[in-house]
Amino acid sequence: MPTLSLLPVEIVLHIFSFHALREELSGIDDQPLSTCTVFSITQVGRRWRQIALNFPPLWNRILLYNTSVTTELLARSQSAPIVVHASSLSRTSGLPSKLESLTLVLQDPRWLQELVIRGIEGENISIP
Amino acid sequence: MPTIVSVDDSTVPGEGSSRLLLLVSSDNKHIVVEEDIMSRSRFISKQVEGFEATSQRHAILLPFSSFVLNKVIEYCSHYRGYYLLEDDPDAAPPGRSPVREWDQEFLDVDRNMLLRIIKAAHYLEIKSLVGSCARAIADMIRGKTTEEMREILGVENDFTPEEEHSPSSKCTG
């Protein structure tokens, strides 16, 4: 019986690429992490985890849930250009944590491919 | 490397622009197909170039069953004469295959068959078919739990308890 574990790495990567974070999240970062298939992929087995964690394009959409998630994604995306969407900054209860995460991203020396900030119109928010 | 055996001209007539190829599956079925249909396969094209260099035509032995091979031939027959960017060796890689309605219906098969087709397409270097299969498999696991993914694709959980719960193994949020 054929299984995915026997497929060549390049095919597995092709399959995984459809679950890259930038594909799964359509503009907002407020979805629960559990809805992102790519996180489940790393829990399936050793080979899947090894392949996924060594494929930076899966992870270069940097989420700002909190600093530990942001730090982990910056590490996994390695040298890939990163994409950041900071949404609903003025309303969420986790605003300080998101701003702290955003600061981490802005301090990263890599090329920022895309930065979208929404939801701060009419309010003053300072980024430390 | 493929294994090739010599065949005589009566088995594989070779004349005109639409010559015939003899493909032999792993279950030893002999399938004659027009060369033009299989030209989407880079692997087959390279074999044919080899024939022309040596002026000898051979049967091409393939490491998958006639059932799978016929499915691939059906795909290639459907797209005979169509330009698909993914299969153009001179074009820049498009990144991923677009959604094609016919492909979705064609690949509405069980997961074992889907995995066999993608392996055959990979071997035959038919990038458009690899891409469509990859998309179909990706859709099968979308939104599934880890346990469901293992079940769907026959992957064993081979983590040690420590590895499975390693803090670096996931984004815990």
Side-chain angles (χ1 to χ4, degrees):
Chain A
M1 178 182 292
T3 70
L4 194 65
S5 60
L6 299 177
L7 292 179
V9 171
E10 54 265 47
I11 292 183
V12 177
L13 287 177
H14 203 135
I15 295 166
F16 286 178
S17 71
F18 288 98
H19 296 298
L21 282 174
R22 66 183 179 284
E23 301 291 334
E24 297 251 305
L25 298 168
S26 52
I28 57 169
D29 281 357
D30 290 335
Q31 294 172 226
L33 285 181
S34 57
T35 64
C36 299
T37 304
V38 70
F39 291 110
S40 301
I41 282 174
T42 63
Q43 299 299 301
V44 168
R46 280 179 178 164
R47 184 165 185 258
W48 279 43
R49 179 180 292 176
Q50 185 186 25
I51 293 172
L53 294 184
N54 287 290
F55 189 47
L58 280 183
W59 309 103
N60 72 336
R61 168 77 179 270
I62 307 300
L63 306 177
L64 305 177
Y65 287 87
N66 57 48
T67 51
S68 65
V69 169
T70 300
T71 302
E72 181 70 22
L73 291 175
L74 286 171
R76 291 184 186 184
S77 57
Q78 298 177 29
S79 58
I82 53 179
V83 174
V84 181
H85 287 201
S87 59
S88 307
L89 281 184
S90 64
R91 293 189 296 275
T92 57
S93 57
L95 179 60
S97 180
K98 284 191 173 184
L99 290 180
E100 202 178 339
S101 301
L102 184 57
T103 304
L104 275 178
V105 171
L106 296 176
Q107 287 170 347
D108 192 279
R110 279 178 288 173
W111 181 49
L112 191 59
Q113 188 177 43
E114 185 179 323
L115 172 63
V116 177
I117 299 179
R118 292 199 186 100
I120 60 173
E121 189 177 354
E123 296 183 29
N124 294 321
I125 294 176
S126 60
I127 298 172
Chain B
M1 285 292 290
T3 306
I4 55 176
V5 296
S6 296
V7 291
D8 60 35
D9 288 344
S10 61
T11 310
V12 183
E15 55 184 312
S17 59
S18 187
R19 294 184 296 187
L20 300 181
L21 291 172
L22 176 59
L23 307 181
V24 182
S25 59
S26 60
D27 51 345
N28 203 32
K29 294 286 193 305
H30 290 53
I31 298 172
V32 177
V33 61
E34 287 182 62
E35 187 181 303
D36 189 37
I37 289 174
M38 296 308 294
S39 63
R40 189 168 299 283
S41 160
R42 286 294 301 147
F43 172 82
I44 297 289
S45 296
K46 284 184 273 188
Q47 295 297 305
V48 170
E49 285 169 16
F51 297 159
E52 284 163 0
T54 61
S55 302
Q56 281 190 306
R57 298 180 71 74
H58 305 283
I60 301 173
L61 303 191
L62 298 169
F64 37 85
S65 71
S66 55
F67 190 58
V68 174
L69 178 55
N70 277 319
K71 194 77 177 159
V72 175
I73 292 172
E74 181 188 345
Y75 175 88
C76 292
S77 299
H78 177 79
Y79 285 112
R80 182 182 195 173
Y82 277 79
Y83 175 81
L84 298 178
L85 180 64
E86 310 98 284
D87 294 326
D88 183 347
D90 299 321
R96 64 182 46 204
S97 296
V99 177
R100 282 186 286 267
E101 196 175 330
W102 186 87
D103 291 16
Q104 288 180 312
E105 289 181 23
F106 173 73
L107 295 173
D108 185 16
V109 295
D110 66 54
R111 62 115 175 170
N112 285 338
M113 188 62 184
L114 192 53
L115 292 172
R116 288 188 170 100
I117 294 171
I118 197 172
K119 286 176 82 171
H122 178 70
Y123 185 89
L124 290 169
E125 299 176 63
I126 306 174
K127 289 186 178 176
S128 58
L129 183 54
V130 170
S132 290
C133 289
R135 179 185 291 280
I137 295 169
D139 288 343
M140 282 170 63
I141 62 173
R142 189 180 306 283
K144 295 291 191 295
T145 64
T146 301
E147 203 52 54
E148 287 169 332
M149 287 184 192
R150 288 182 188 132
E151 179 71 25
I152 290 169
L153 294 163
V155 177
E156 279 187 24
N157 178 6
D158 55 0
F159 288 128
T160 63
E162 292 76 23
E163 287 174 328
E164 192 159 16
H165 299 105
S166 159
S168 63
S169 68
K170 57 183 175 180
C171 280
T172 52

